Amino acid sequence: MPELVLETNGRTWTLDPARSYALGRDPQGDIVFDDARVSWRHATVSFNGRSWVLEDHGSTNGTFVQGRRVQQLEIGPGAAVHLGNATDGPRLNLSVAAAAVGTPQAQPQQQPYAAQGADPGWVQQQAPQQQAPQHQAPQAGRQQPQQGPQAPSIPPQQGGPGSAAGAPPAYSDRSPTTFHQFSLGRVMRIGRALENDLVVSDLQVSRNHAEFHATPDGRFEIRDLGSHNGTYVNGHPVPKGGSVQLGPTDIVGVGHSTFRIVGDRLEEFVDTGEVSFSARQLTVTVDGGKQILKDVSFGVPEKSLVGVIGPSGSGKSTLLKALTGYRPADQGEVLYDNRNLYKQFAELRQRIGLVPQDDILHKELTVKKALKYAAKLRFPADTTAAEREARIDEVLRELKLDVHRDKKVTSLSGGQRKRVSVALELLTKPSLIFLDEPTSGLDPGMDRDVMQLLRGLADDGRTVLVVTHSVAELALCDKLLVMAPGGAVAYFGPPEEALNFFGYDTWADVFSAFENYRDYDWAGRWKGSQHYQMYAADIDAVAPQSVHAPPPQAIKPPKPQSWGSQLLTLIRRYMAVIASDKGFLALSVILPAVIGSVSLLIDHNRGLLVNPQVNPKTGLHIPNGTATTVLLIIAVGACFAGAANSVRELIKERVIYERERATGLSRSAYLMSKVVVLGVVTVLQGLMVGLIGFSSREIPEKGLVLGNATLLELCLPIMGLGFTSMMVGLVISSLVKTAEKTMPLLVMFAIVQVVFTGCLFTLNGTIGVNEFSYLMPSRWAVAAAGTTLDFNNIAPNTDDPSSTDPLWDHAASAWAVDMGALIALGVVCGFLVARFLRRHEPEVMRK
């Protein structure tokens, strides 16, 4: 039988009838195509004993012969096959070989990339590699690096001199996903809605997102149509509703798609995972000049799983923050598809997922509800509920969580909760996913399950980088980055070659060597090795475009939802969290009831006197200690209840806030949602305390401000005190680093409020102490209630009866000043919380 020769993109394969050939984007396939229109496992070509057969494996965009989409077809010499598109998709030409051109096992090595970026040489490398021991150390005479899943990691656009400063724009070596022809004076609208000229099926894109304008004079501009997630030119947001003129090298970003104008043609590139990612000479220096990350360079292969391990103090967490923009490196650069992540963070953040070590969702909610609120916050405001539901269901099915959709997150196992955190990040279809210690605290079985999950994510077309302490499942990774003490790279390459590189049998021995020889130049050993030349030299040889990273700029990227919409969603989510916490609800009712009831134990018969008793001999008022004691108990109880409501709220959600802030959450909307919900709860508690504590006692018949509503006038200061104390609790929660530190500070706050109420000793006239008391909420709340009760008469200064406290003057003006100061303290606390929250945001986003 004549041999069949397949030709594509200038390369030829002589097909062996004894085996089948897999076509697709999968790097482990036989004929690999770097084209987004080609599916991961697109089709196969095989000989059935009679003829050659082309079989499509349910590809997304189809397989075409003579313009007709086929599922299975006998093919032979002279046939032409298109993958992904009937006209301009990658083309395969079939012919008869006059003489054997060479099987895939004998392809020339001097051509490193086959069909648009594939590596055909990996097949020929398999046989000699299989003959070698699995963990054979690299020998000096070895000429070729291992290929296949561990092929040289960087495509042409990342490695080599061509990617230095002044290199051609991104995508210059990649075929566009599709083309769109321009005509002068034409307007081309982009959006998710079907009536647009260019429909982008991406939930990150608004229904009517932006417009390309081709002016009669030959110029082009992009005009934003009030999009929710923004339109970007070279990574910088176009003003909402504004326009920007485009040059020949400008890149326009809309969701996961980017566009470039070439002549009169608009080229579209869809980010479906075919992106490169590299770190170049990253260095992080802390106060005192100590370097905790030293000259770290490596390149992440497309659609692969990369593990990062190292002993404590090796800079793994610092590296992760540098790679994601949370804490940019002081020197060096991070490149996402040849684009500087720090400078273009506003756009590229939408394509990067981050799963911190702690869960990034509310455990009190069900899986479906947690994802529902996350989707509401991350997707544009014009996304319908049906669209969000469909995407959530798709992610749940992909991660095999659909059977757990109605279970509370807290009821899931550790591995399942980690899956839910991954599901949350997958909602927006990121191409690059970072995970920090996802297997921490999991048993070996769950450890394996999580790593297999990450392996599956990489196989499905995503690049995954995982920082881990577990070394049991490293064989699932395509590449391994080992960090040495001090933050330097000790190894980067295939995981199966790592132990032989270090010369040890187990990772425990390697980590012991790191500890015992901390002063050893591990980075120098790595850079002097053949492995370095194989897997990292091409990255390290290219100097960063800017050795010193520019100082973080003020970035105010567009938000997917309006401020009001975010606030409403956050309030609804927070209320759902509280409603599902039965313990908190019960405590919210029991605590004020107990505080109010305790005040009733004070001598009830004497109560709060309306007319003070007078000593007939001296003519002076007899102090009423009962009144001040009752008010002291009520005020301190309100302080404690208000602060206790909020003192843990921000610290327990810190990881959630950090991640959501990076995806477009408004800081003020987040804070306001806490103020609204906790404020209502706290004010109602203050009302309950006041009603129980005052209603059964004798009080003035007429108030200073509200007239006959004296009881309400007395309750208002207690309610205001609870609210302001709640704001102080938020300040504490925004300052502490762990939840355990909140309780000592809460107790200290309550005790200080007792001292400065003015009920235990006279504050007025005590220089320094009285002025300091003005910073205490309890001082103003007790003073406001004291004006209504006329404390200057009921509880006069025993040392100097003629000396009165101006804050206790029985006048409406004094009551208004006291209440105004109380509320002002709450406002100041809100301002402080907003400032302190900035510390927990990606540094590149800070103003």
Side-chain angles (χ1 to χ4, degrees):
M1 186 194 71
E3 292 181 307
L4 187 69
V5 175
L6 185 152
E7 184 272 333
T8 179
N9 198 37
R11 296 303 311 276
T12 59
W13 287 262
T14 300
L15 305 187
D16 182 359
R19 54 163 298 191
S20 62
Y21 294 83
L23 285 65
R25 297 200 328 268
D26 185 355
Q28 299 188 48
D30 299 298
I31 303 175
V32 186
F33 297 85
D34 187 10
D35 191 303
R37 294 168 292 182
V38 178
S39 295
W40 192 251
R41 298 175 181 88
H42 195 103
T44 57
V45 176
S46 60
F47 187 73
N48 63 5
R50 181 171 54 89
S51 62
W52 289 94
V53 177
L54 171 70
E55 181 178 0
D56 185 279
H57 290 294
S59 63
T60 301
N61 296 315
T63 303
F64 301 86
V65 176
Q66 294 182 349
R68 182 172 58 91
R69 184 164 184 168
V70 298
Q71 184 63 36
Q72 188 176 40
L73 184 70
E74 292 185 357
I75 56 176
V81 179
H82 286 276
L83 304 182
N85 188 285
T87 56
D88 61 352
R91 175 171 173 154
L92 292 78
N93 296 314
L94 304 177
S95 61
V96 178
V101 181
T103 65
Q105 287 81 7
Q107 292 298 320
Q109 298 182 27
Q110 66 269 23
Q111 298 185 39
Y113 292 93
Q116 300 185 31
D119 187 358
W122 76 270
V123 180
Q124 80 170 47
Q125 299 286 338
Q126 296 300 308
Q129 286 177 4
Q130 292 171 357
Q131 296 171 3
Q134 182 178 3
H135 296 295
Q136 179 179 352
Q139 302 297 322
R142 193 170 171 182
Q143 298 298 318
Q144 293 294 332
Q146 181 176 345
Q147 305 285 322
Q150 292 81 30
S153 46
I154 304 304
Q157 72 266 26
Q158 253 188 320
S163 52
Y171 313 110
S172 59
D173 59 342
R174 182 179 304 162
S175 297
T177 306
T178 186
F179 306 96
H180 308 277
Q181 201 68 29
F182 259 127
S183 59
L184 296 182
R186 184 184 173 188
V187 175
M188 183 179 292
R189 176 171 291 187
I190 304 173
R192 204 173 70 250
L194 297 178
E195 62 267 17
N196 289 284
D197 303 299
L198 202 164
V199 179
V200 179
S201 57
D202 181 356
L203 290 183
Q204 295 286 81
V205 178
S206 299
R207 295 187 62 82
N208 296 292
H209 197 102
E211 289 179 341
F212 280 101
H213 286 252
T215 60
D217 59 0
R219 294 183 300 173
F220 296 91
E221 68 176 18
I222 182 69
R223 180 175 301 169
D224 183 83
L225 299 178
S227 62
H228 299 281
N229 276 327
T231 305
Y232 299 85
V233 175
N234 300 325
H236 300 284
V238 176
K240 199 165 187 176
S243 61
V244 173
Q245 286 194 356
L246 301 176
T249 61
D250 289 335
I251 299 295
V252 177
V254 174
H256 286 81
S257 298
T258 47
F259 301 88
R260 182 180 61 183
I261 295 176
V262 178
D264 59 351
R265 187 175 68 178
L266 180 66
E267 297 182 347
E268 178 183 5
F269 304 81
V270 180
D271 182 354
T272 57
E274 297 87 352
V275 294
S276 56
F277 183 82
S278 65
R280 292 180 179 169
Q281 301 175 14
L282 299 183
T283 299
V284 174
T285 306
V286 295
D287 295 338
K290 179 181 179 181
Q291 290 185 339
I292 56 178
L293 206 63
K294 298 179 181 179
D295 197 23
V296 174
S297 298
F298 65 95
V300 178
E302 296 178 4
K303 299 182 179 180
S304 60
L305 176 60
V306 180
V308 180
I309 64 172
S312 299
S314 60
K316 299 187 299 296
S317 296
T318 303
L319 174 62
L320 190 64
K321 292 178 180 179
L323 294 177
T324 56
Y326 274 65
R327 199 292 187 188
D330 301 307
Q331 293 180 332
E333 64 184 4
V334 176
L335 297 181
Y336 177 99
D337 208 23
N338 238 20
R339 302 169 67 184
N340 191 302
L341 176 64
Y342 299 158
K343 295 180 180 179
Q344 303 186 24
F345 183 81
E347 177 187 355
L348 298 180
R349 63 174 184 163
Q350 302 177 20
R351 309 187 192 182
I352 297 176
L354 173 63
V355 181
Q357 182 173 349
D358 297 325
D359 294 325
I360 52 176
L361 37 81
H362 293 86
K363 299 179 183 179
E364 300 86 356
L365 301 177
T366 64
V367 172
K368 181 67 176 291
K369 190 170 288 187
L371 295 180
K372 172 185 172 183
Y373 286 118
K376 179 71 174 174
L377 288 172
R378 297 193 182 193
F379 290 140
D382 60 4
T383 307
T384 64
E387 289 175 315
R388 293 194 298 269
E389 290 277 342
R391 179 57 188 156
I392 292 172
D393 292 340
E394 181 182 351
V395 170
L396 290 176
R397 287 193 301 269
E398 180 180 359
L399 299 183
K400 298 179 176 60
L401 286 170
D402 44 344
V403 295
H404 304 296
R405 61 193 305 138
D406 296 320
K407 294 180 182 179
K408 285 189 176 182
V409 177
T410 187
S411 68
L412 302 178
S413 65
Q416 291 169 343
R417 285 202 303 270
K418 193 58 62 178
R419 282 178 177 266
V420 178
S421 294
V422 173
L424 190 152
E425 289 300 305
L426 291 185
L427 288 175
T428 54
K429 297 185 178 181
S431 300
L432 182 64
I433 304 176
F434 294 93
L435 299 99
D436 186 12
E437 300 287 356
T439 61
S440 178
L442 302 183
D443 60 48
M446 290 184 179
D447 180 358
R448 180 183 57 194
D449 291 343
V450 171
M451 291 300 293
Q452 288 177 342
L453 165 67
L454 303 183
R455 177 71 263 169
L457 293 178
D459 291 340
D460 287 340
R462 305 175 183 92
T463 299
V464 183
L465 189 146
V466 53
V467 175
T468 180
H469 275 113
S470 175
V471 297
E473 305 295 334
L474 293 180
L476 293 173
C477 298
D478 297 307
K479 287 289 189 294
L480 181 64
L481 175 67
V482 182
M483 301 294 292
V489 176
Y491 173 83
F492 179 72
E496 61 268 21
E497 298 182 15
L499 287 175
N500 285 322
F501 171 82
F502 289 107
Y504 293 99
D505 295 327
T506 66
W507 283 108
D509 295 332
V510 175
F511 279 41
S512 295
F514 283 148
E515 181 63 29
N516 296 332
Y517 305 100
R518 299 186 69 89
D519 296 331
Y520 181 74
D521 186 11
W522 295 101
R525 180 178 183 271
W526 156 243
K527 291 187 175 182
S529 69
Q530 186 177 7
H531 279 70
Y532 173 78
Q533 298 299 323
M534 293 178 182
Y535 304 114
D538 55 343
I539 291 295
D540 220 8
V542 180
Q545 296 177 11
S546 175
V547 177
H548 292 277
Q553 300 176 356
I555 297 178
K556 191 176 182 181
K559 299 177 177 59
Q561 301 278 333
S562 66
W563 187 90
S565 179
Q566 284 194 1
L567 175 62
L568 182 60
T569 301
L570 291 168
I571 289 176
R572 292 175 58 192
R573 183 178 69 178
Y574 194 26
M575 291 176 63
V577 170
I578 290 178
S580 64
D581 190 346
K582 307 303 181 184
F584 178 83
L585 289 177
L587 189 61
S588 298
V589 176
I590 295 173
L591 183 60
V594 170
I595 293 172
S597 300
V598 167
S599 69
L600 297 179
L601 300 178
I602 307 301
D603 189 354
H604 185 273
N605 293 327
R606 295 183 65 186
L608 297 177
L609 300 183
V610 177
N611 298 310
Q613 297 180 359
V614 178
N615 188 322
K617 294 183 179 180
T618 62
L620 300 176
H621 297 298
I622 300 175
N624 183 355
T626 302
T628 55
T629 303
V630 169
L631 194 55
L632 173 65
I633 293 175
I634 291 176
V636 173
C639 281
F640 185 83
N645 285 340
S646 61
V647 75
R648 289 177 178 265
E649 286 305 307
L650 299 183
I651 181 62
K652 76 179 184 182
E653 291 187 0
R654 182 160 297 171
V655 176
I656 299 175
Y657 171 75
E658 289 177 353
R659 183 62 193 132
E660 290 185 341
R661 177 65 176 146
T663 59
L665 179 69
S666 166
R667 182 197 315 144
S668 58
Y670 175 78
L671 175 57
M672 188 56 65
S673 71
K674 298 295 182 184
V675 172
V676 170
V677 177
L678 290 176
V680 170
V681 172
T682 304
V683 166
L684 291 177
Q685 287 178 330
L687 179 62
M688 184 182 299
V689 171
L691 291 176
I692 296 175
F694 293 130
S695 60
S696 61
R697 296 182 181 275
E698 185 179 0
I699 59 177
E701 295 181 358
K702 191 172 184 179
L704 294 172
V705 178
L706 301 182
N708 295 329
T710 309
L711 180 59
L712 179 59
E713 187 175 310
L714 288 173
C715 289
L716 284 176
I718 305 304
M719 296 158 67
L721 176 59
F723 179 85
T724 302
S725 299
M726 180 271 294
M727 297 299 297
V728 174
L730 290 178
V731 173
I732 295 174
S733 191
S734 65
L735 284 173
V736 296
K737 294 183 178 180
T738 61
E740 290 74 16
K741 295 180 180 179
T742 59
M743 291 310 296
L745 294 175
L746 174 62
V747 173
M748 182 180 69
F749 169 73
I751 292 176
V752 170
Q753 299 310 304
V754 172
V755 175
F756 290 99
T757 56
C759 296
L760 296 181
F761 61 90
T762 302
L763 290 173
N764 185 46
T766 308
I767 299 176
V769 176
N770 186 44
E771 286 71 21
F772 183 74
S773 71
Y774 294 160
L775 299 177
M776 304 297 147
S778 62
R779 173 74 162 115
W780 299 102
V782 169
T787 60
T788 301
L789 297 173
D790 197 8
F791 261 21
N792 279 330
N793 284 325
I794 292 179
N797 187 344
T798 54
D799 297 330
D800 183 7
S802 62
S803 175
T804 59
D805 191 334
L807 301 185
W808 290 1
D809 286 346
H810 189 59
S813 59
W815 188 92
V817 169
D818 295 337
M819 288 298 295
L822 182 62
I823 299 303
L825 285 177
V827 173
V828 171
C829 288
F831 174 79
L832 293 176
V833 175
R835 299 297 296 176
F836 294 148
L837 280 176
R838 292 178 63 252
R839 303 183 309 163
H840 311 300
E841 301 172 0
E843 187 172 316
V844 73
M845 290 181 64
R846 299 179 192 174
K847 294 181 181 180

